[in-house]
Structures are given as C-alpha cells and as structure tokens.
Amino acid sequence: MVNWTHSDTVVEYPDAVARMETHVDRMILGQAAEEIWLLEHPALYTAGTSANIADLTDPDRFPVYQSRRGGQYTYHGPGQRVAYVMLDLNKRGRDVRQFVWQLEEWVIQTLGEFNITGERRAGRVGVWVVRHDKPLTAAGTPPEDKIAAIGVRLRKWTSFHGICINLEPDLSHYSGIVPCGIAEHGVTSLVDLGLPVTMDDLDLALKRCFEQVFGKD
C-alpha cells in the first residue's frame, strides 16, 4: 500500500532530505511502507549530480543545496508542488528508464486533467508545454516552456526525491539559474497558462493519475 503524506507548511530542504533518507532506510529494512510526500519548499536552488557551476548565475539570491538526485540545477519555492516518491522498485520492476517514463507519464496525465498537453522531449528531462500563444522562435517554431521537473535517486532499488510541478511559483526566481542546464527554453506554470487551479485541485489530480500510471496495490 502506498501512503500519501501532506505537509501544510513549507519544509526546509535539509529537513526533507533527512526525512526521506530515514524513510528509505526503513523501507529497505521492511519497516516502512511506500510513500508519496506532497509538500512545498521555501525559495531555494538545488544542484543535482550533473550540475554545472556555470549554470548558477546568481549564487547569493537564495540558499543553494547540493543534492544527490539526478539532474542539474533547479528551483523550488512556494506555489510549486513537490511530490517526493518513495517506492520499492524491487517489486515494481528494476527498470530505471521505465520508472522515469512513469514519472513523466504521471505528470503528463495530471496536466491532462486540466486540458494541458504536457510533452516529453528527447535529451531534455522533465515535461514541456508548447506555447502556441507566444511569437514563433527564430527557427519558425512555437517556443516551449518547462512546467515540471524530475529528479530521482535510488538506493537498493528504493526511490526517493521525485517530481515538481509549477502551479503558481514566482517564475522570476528561475532567473538565478539555467534551469536543468537548458538556456534556450523558458519555464511556465498552470496559472501562467491561464488556469486558476488550486493546490488542492492539483493534489487530487495527482492522486487520481498515480493509480492510472503505477496501478493499485
């Protein structure tokens, strides 16, 4: 059974990592169930294992934390739904590519609940939205904005870290980094796309779509 946990107040990043580490260790010992943890962080940047220091363009703007998740620099802050995913891949199939695909699909189906078409892009981790409402790029194509980031880590085939979806964060806060090392594309959010979605709405959609992608226990 997957337990769902929700934090009503912002959670400091080091506290979240410590809690995940402890929970994953307990899962490995068979002492804890799988868990999805929904939360928000205060404004901060995290550096994944592939982060390039040159992509941290304003290092004094917000706290910067080294993270052992995959990926590069990303932003977390109020108005962004973080879902930390602690699942046992020993029983779900030891396939990292499939797991990342499922996380992407979970986000894509969740966005679909609000009539947003989220898309994958080869060579770019995360979920993207084509902006037909913006001027064409120099190449003559519609611009694309990132709406969700994905970064995970595995320990003995037990996952932690996870996904984040932009509901209504301050998008200007992304200017202190090159998000995920990709400078030629922007970032967006549900509210930026004109959808008055609440965090409760998003959480309900996440729960519905999780079962569609990962199945029921």
Side-chain angles (χ1 to χ4, degrees), residues 71-214:
Q72 303 185 51
Y73 280 103
T74 194
Y75 166 77
H76 292 307
Q80 182 189 74
R81 172 53 82 218
V82 175
Y84 285 137
V85 181
M86 291 162 274
L87 297 178
D88 182 1
L89 300 194
N90 289 291
K91 68 180 184 181
R92 293 179 177 272
R94 296 185 176 188
D95 188 330
V96 176
R97 288 179 182 271
Q98 173 68 10
F99 180 55
V100 173
W101 185 93
Q102 288 176 309
L103 292 174
E104 292 171 339
E105 187 66 19
W106 181 26
V107 172
I108 289 168
Q109 291 197 22
T110 298
L111 295 174
E113 296 272 303
F114 307 102
N115 296 314
I116 294 174
T117 302
E119 300 179 4
R120 299 175 179 86
R121 286 294 180 267
R124 290 191 245 147
V125 179
V127 177
W128 300 80
V129 176
V130 178
R131 300 299 303 269
H132 295 288
D133 57 325
K134 289 186 175 182
L136 298 179
T137 67
T141 58
E144 297 176 351
D145 288 344
K146 190 171 191 176
I147 194 168
I150 296 171
V152 295
R153 186 179 175 209
L154 299 180
R155 177 182 297 163
K156 295 186 177 179
W157 293 102
T158 303
S159 71
F160 52 124
H161 297 281
I163 68 171
C164 60
I165 300 176
N166 287 342
L167 176 73
E168 192 179 10
D170 186 336
L171 296 178
S172 70
H173 289 176
Y174 280 90
S175 63
I177 57 172
V178 178
C180 300
I182 301 170
E184 62 270 28
H185 299 286
V187 290
T188 189
S189 68
L190 287 158
V191 171
D192 182 53
L193 292 171
L195 296 166
V197 178
T198 68
M199 198 66 83
D200 286 343
D201 294 333
L202 181 56
D203 289 347
L204 288 172
L206 281 166
K207 289 178 181 178
R208 281 195 300 268
C209 295
F210 181 86
E211 289 188 353
Q212 295 171 18
V213 175
F214 290 92

Side-chain angles (χ1 to χ4, degrees), residues 10-83:
V10 295
V11 180
E12 296 291 340
Y13 188 75
D15 295 339
V17 173
R19 183 185 180 285
M20 280 192 290
E21 295 264 1
T22 298
H23 189 84
V24 166
D25 286 344
R26 293 185 63 232
M27 285 179 63
I28 291 169
L29 294 172
Q31 299 173 350
E34 295 181 308
E35 181 177 317
I36 308 295
W37 182 17
L38 303 177
L39 68 150
E40 293 174 78
H41 286 304
L44 57 92
Y45 299 130
T46 66
T49 54
S50 303
N52 181 346
I53 190 62
D55 290 339
L56 181 62
T57 57
D58 191 356
D60 299 322
R61 188 168 187 180
F62 298 121
V64 181
Y65 296 98
Q66 298 297 314
S67 172
R68 287 182 283 182
R69 61 160 174 80
Q72 303 185 51
Y73 280 103
T74 194
Y75 166 77
H76 292 307
Q80 182 189 74
R81 172 53 82 218
V82 175

